[in-house]
Amino acid sequence: MADTNKQIASIFNQMADVLQILDANRFRIIAMQKAARVVKELTTDTASMTHAELLSLDGVGKGTADKIVEFCETGQMIEHNELLKEIPKGLPDLLNIPGLGAKTVALLWKEADIVSIKSLERALKKPELLTSIKGLGQKKIDMIAKNLAFAEQAGKRHTIGRAHLKAVYFVAQLRQLKEVKQAAYAGSLRRGKETIGDIDILVAADPKHASIVTERFTALEPVEDVMLSGKTKTSVRTKGGIQVDLRIIAPESYGAALMYFTGSKEHNVVLRERAQSMGMTLSEYALTDKQTEKTVAARTEEEIYKALGLDFIPPELREDRGEIIAAEEHKLPKLVTQRDIHAELHAHTHASDGLLSIRELAGLAYDRGFHTIAVTDHSKSQVQAHGLDEKRLEQHIKDIHAVRDEMAGKIHVLAGSEVDILADGKLDYPNSLLKQLDIVVASPHSALSQTGKKATDRLIKAINNPYVHIIGHPTGRLLARREGMSPDMNTIIKAAADRGIALEINANHHRLDLRDTHARAAIEAGCLLAINTDAHRPNDFNELQYGLLTARRAWAEPKNIVNCFAEDKLMGWLKSCRP
Ligand SMILES: [Zn+2]
Ligand SMILES: [Zn+2]
């Protein structure tokens, strides 16, 4: 069902690419990109929506709604077909080459008849063809030649877990320089997106120290190759294939630059329009009074938001999804933080596929300051994970109770299970056994290519089992590896909300399932969420940060998350889910 949405989103993205090459109005391009994003993230199939319902979506204007209806009815969009006729077919591929923007692509096409990656490769062998193009210097040509090899790789995105570790390392190293006043990572990484294109790092330093900073940066251990090096901007590629861009900013412009490079583009467009309407201009350098041309604010993000009449907007919310109006009305959510999390409700021991004993697991959770840890090993169908059959589970419950008694007064140790939701929605244990457990996380692990009604019915059946508390990683996706199920999310969310049980945000950075948009839909429908690390080994507890970022992108407050409940409230909730 989500297939229609995916097709429409990809058409809109393609149209945006073509419009860029044709140098169309910037706002038209951004509107098209936004429409693509909105449709892609929608929890409802557009084919089932009326024109009026489409219009009510933020980011969908009349023209966009018309196009969606046209596609649902005819399987194509005339405007899309017309646009494709205006440029050669292979041209948009050139946009994937790092450092090659739409302007240069248009130039290559019009001046040298370069219309694809192949013809660009050919042209690079005859340098005179390219050097004769006005506006294309030797430096740029060298860069294109160098980066061409990475065109394929450039479109690839990296998991947040991987990009985050690298970014933290670069920032920490640069902060050691006395010339560096401030340093931070920006971009989609700072906004906590589940995957990252490249890493943007900003450094505040006196321009006269720029070369010292650049030298240190390019000499750092993970750097494999310097792709581009200018006075204030340097791009490198790490040995692991991630592009990292460093920008050196004058300290007095640091806040404006941080805001600009954190994005999102859509958020920044609305901020710039707001500045305009208040008689100011906003750029990557400053918020400036139009009349006096004096700087109003620039040094920190806080003072820029304040001068725009807005509360500070946390980076995770900067997506133009209603945050600017909320900031104006002092109605931004009080986003959940690491300090609010008091329990881990999904973790494994070596009884199934974890590396920890029950006691070690409880000890780690206690060290984190948690009041509760749930031991939830796999059920019998997970043969490769050494899942427990009924008999082993009964013994496991006794073993957990022994640790529970030993740790009494320190931390609650709950006897639980991560029980498989089988392909038909039945659970892997009988209710008579589930009933003996303090907590039941029900998760899908097999038949994950199910779509539509089959997937929906399967999950609904599990939700309606009276002994289930949490649906673990509800779609079963693995980022960049497995799409997972695509059930009708609104139906799932409503059923879970009616039962009062929680849908999980699995914090493992390969999962992040529920994803941010689904989690936000859940919160809006009054459905509880859980954020669990699904720990199998000691370090897995650190994955919590990625689950938190996803929850924050979903506008989650502590009251929406069962792991934030005080102990009495949590125990009360566990009971309240049961008959
Ligand atoms: Zn699982
Ligand atoms: Zn698990």
Side-chain angles (χ1 to χ4, degrees), residues 346 348 353 376 378 382 418-420 441-445 472-473 504 506 511 534 536:
H346 175 176
H348 298 266
D353 59 348
T376 59
H378 287 290
Q382 287 298 298
E418 180 182 18
V419 62
D420 255 56
V441 179
S443 311
H445 292 106
H473 47 74
E504 177 183 81
N506 192 294
R511 291 192 181 272
D534 195 357
H536 285 72

Side-chain angles (χ1 to χ4, degrees), residues 299-522:
R299 195 170 276 275
T300 68
E301 287 184 330
E302 283 80 357
E303 64 187 41
I304 298 171
Y305 279 116
K306 195 164 174 225
L308 289 168
L310 299 171
D311 291 344
F312 178 79
I313 301 178
E316 298 92 333
L317 301 186
R318 299 182 195 171
E319 299 288 349
D320 187 22
R321 291 180 181 146
E323 72 277 11
I324 289 164
I325 291 171
E328 184 181 83
E329 295 173 348
H330 310 296
K331 283 181 185 157
L332 285 171
K334 306 232 167 352
L335 294 180
V336 59
T337 70
Q338 188 124 9
R339 282 191 305 279
D340 300 314
I341 301 286
H342 304 304
E344 170 61 52
L345 301 175
H346 175 176
H348 298 266
T349 69
H350 51 47
S352 62
D353 59 348
L355 296 183
L356 298 156
S357 68
I358 301 168
R359 196 174 284 100
E360 285 167 336
L361 182 65
L364 282 169
Y366 177 65
D367 291 344
R368 292 226 150 205
F370 289 172
H371 61 57
T372 300
I373 173 80
V375 182
T376 59
D377 279 297
H378 287 290
S379 59
K380 62 176 187 254
S381 288
Q382 287 298 298
V383 178
Q384 77 292 350
H386 202 41
L388 286 72
D389 61 19
E390 278 88 347
K391 222 172 132 207
R392 284 182 62 217
L393 178 60
E394 277 168 14
Q395 180 57 46
H396 196 42
I397 293 174
K398 285 184 193 141
D399 296 342
I400 298 168
H401 284 173
V403 177
R404 175 194 66 188
D405 296 346
E406 192 187 309
M407 303 284 281
K410 286 180 164 176
I411 184 166
H412 298 282
V413 183
L414 303 182
S417 169
E418 180 182 18
V419 62
D420 255 56
I421 305 174
L422 305 173
D424 61 0
K426 288 205 190 83
L427 300 186
D428 206 11
Y429 291 131
N431 282 356
S432 57
L433 189 53
L434 295 176
K435 207 169 148 177
Q436 297 176 43
L437 297 164
D438 303 317
I439 182 165
V440 172
V441 179
S443 311
H445 292 106
S446 55
L448 295 173
S449 50
Q450 285 180 349
T451 57
K453 194 162 163 3
K454 215 172 195 174
T456 310
D457 290 349
R458 174 187 188 179
L459 290 176
I460 295 287
K461 207 162 168 186
I463 288 168
N464 286 330
N465 179 296
Y467 298 102
V468 168
H469 296 98
I470 296 173
I471 301 295
H473 47 74
T475 72
R477 74 154 172 183
L478 287 179
L479 281 159
R481 271 187 280 166
R482 183 172 73 207
E483 187 112 358
M485 296 194 285
S486 44
D488 186 280
M489 262 305 158
N490 285 345
T491 310
I492 302 298
I493 287 166
K494 185 168 181 312
D498 287 349
R499 269 271 286 126
I501 70 166
L503 297 179
E504 177 183 81
I505 295 175
N506 192 294
N508 184 293
H509 70 266
H510 295 293
R511 291 192 181 272
L512 296 174
D513 175 19
L514 293 181
R515 66 197 68 184
D516 52 3
T517 48
H518 292 169
R520 180 145 185 219

